[in-house]
Amino acid sequence: MVRLIIFLIFSAWAVISGIGVITFTNPIYVILWLLSALIAVAGIFFTAGAELVGALQLLIYAVAIAVFYVFVLTAVPWEKAIKKGTHYRMEGVVSLPLVILLYVEMAIVFLLGITASPEGKFRAFIEKFGNTEVVGSILFTKYFFAFEVVSLVLLIGMIGAVLIGRKESQTYENDTR
Amino acid sequence: MKTIPVEAYFVVSMVLFGLGVIGLIARRNLVTVLMSLELALNAVNVAFVGADAHMGLVEGQIFALFVIALAAAEAAVGLGIIIAIFRYRYVESTDEITDMRG
């Protein structure tokens, strides 16, 4: 019962922060609301018993990626974006039926999926060894190839970011504006 | 152990994902569009971990870790693209980038 109350608190916090992400106009306020939402989602993970994922959510998302966004916000001139309005009003209104349709679709998929979900077979294993050990052992045995592929994807993304953000030597001089 | 129903996780995930989709469609600033994408990815993670806690598996947590890693790569590449767009075109709003020239 206490877990349910804590879960509801974190859920309300996450949803309010999400509303803040899509309504505020200043990008600095938006990154603060996004940080709040990430911390609330980490709380949901802790409540669900996924300590490793919650800790990595706090470490990677709420620290590293958020700081990266703040760094990029210092590099782009966001005064112009504030001055000319930061929302598409018409598209925002038109997107609401689309999102409601998306909700209905997801509800159908979830309800059909829950009725067909099998019983857990790792439950006793988790209660015996603890969450982090089980996640690590299965990650490094059954999903080891996917883990290596993800590391390769991270390496390629890093190289791509360096190549894209590199300062070209006057190549696009006539092409700007 | 199962005081939280799995439907609660899915409701939270659906609401967060819808907010992310609205942000993707309706925001004008490129950086905030990427932030809305991060919100949608977090909603997917909530659904993964919730279903994981319901079914007693650990695959959901592993997939959530993969989603976090891929979101980090996506943020690096996307923000690099934003910086490149600003450097070459001096715009950062989505309605001023109407062609893929250059």
Side-chain angles (χ1 to χ4, degrees):
Chain A
M1 197 61 202
V2 177
R3 286 186 57 192
L4 184 61
I5 292 172
I6 293 172
F7 173 77
L8 290 178
I9 289 172
F10 279 128
S11 304
W13 180 8
V15 171
I16 289 170
S17 302
I19 293 172
V21 166
I22 67 166
T23 51
F24 274 65
T25 57
N26 194 329
I28 298 296
Y29 294 158
V30 173
I31 190 67
L32 288 176
W33 278 113
L34 179 68
L35 190 56
S36 171
L38 295 178
I39 294 170
V41 169
I44 291 175
F45 289 165
F46 283 123
T47 312
E51 296 94 0
L52 181 64
V53 183
L56 287 176
Q57 170 92 6
L58 281 178
L59 283 175
I60 297 176
Y61 251 124
V63 177
I65 295 181
V67 169
F68 195 24
Y69 275 96
V70 170
F71 170 70
V72 170
L73 280 180
T74 61
V76 295
W78 42 272
E79 292 89 357
K80 194 175 73 171
I82 295 173
K83 194 165 58 185
K84 64 179 296 187
T86 58
H87 289 79
Y88 293 113
R89 306 283 176 196
M90 197 62 207
E91 283 86 345
V93 174
V94 169
S95 69
L96 288 177
L98 173 70
V99 172
I100 291 172
L101 184 68
L102 199 63
Y103 280 167
V104 172
E105 184 181 356
M106 282 193 282
I108 292 172
V109 169
F110 286 157
L111 290 178
L112 286 180
I114 288 169
T115 56
S117 72
E119 285 299 314
K121 56 182 177 180
F122 285 105
R123 173 62 65 194
F125 196 46
I126 291 173
E127 286 172 353
K128 187 177 177 184
F129 288 108
N131 183 42
T132 306
E133 285 85 356
V134 175
V135 171
S137 62
I138 292 182
L139 180 63
F140 285 110
T141 54
K142 190 177 175 183
Y143 291 97
F144 186 68
F145 182 70
F147 181 78
E148 294 294 327
V149 170
V150 165
S151 71
L152 201 62
V153 166
L154 275 175
L155 178 65
I156 293 170
M158 190 172 67
I159 295 172
V162 170
L163 282 179
I164 290 170
R166 185 182 48 150
K167 189 182 284 292
E168 296 277 345
S169 60
Q170 310 296 323
T171 308
Y172 295 92
E173 184 64 33
N174 299 322
D175 225 7
T176 53
R177 275 163 268 201
Chain B
M1 191 66 191
K2 290 189 179 178
T3 55
I4 304 171
V6 68
E7 290 87 357
Y9 291 104
F10 285 158
V11 167
V12 175
S13 170
M14 281 169 59
V15 172
L16 281 180
F17 191 83
L19 289 175
V21 169
I22 291 176
L24 277 175
I25 295 172
R27 293 314 293 261
R28 216 183 264 272
N29 194 335
L30 276 174
V31 185
T32 52
V33 167
L34 271 188
M35 287 185 210
S36 303
L37 185 58
E38 300 282 343
L39 196 64
L41 287 173
N42 265 285
V44 174
N45 273 346
V46 169
F48 269 140
V49 174
D52 184 284
H54 173 69
M55 292 167 61
L57 302 172
V58 292
E59 270 84 357
Q61 300 180 32
I62 290 170
F63 291 158
L65 292 179
F66 287 162
V67 168
I68 288 175
L70 292 178
E74 170 263 329
V77 175
L79 292 172
I81 288 173
I82 287 172
I83 288 179
I85 286 173
F86 166 67
R87 181 172 295 148
Y88 297 147
R89 312 291 289 274
Y90 295 97
V91 297
E92 64 146 357
S93 176
T94 52
D95 53 354
E96 294 175 1
I97 310 165
T98 55
D99 54 351
M100 297 188 72
R101 181 171 54 113

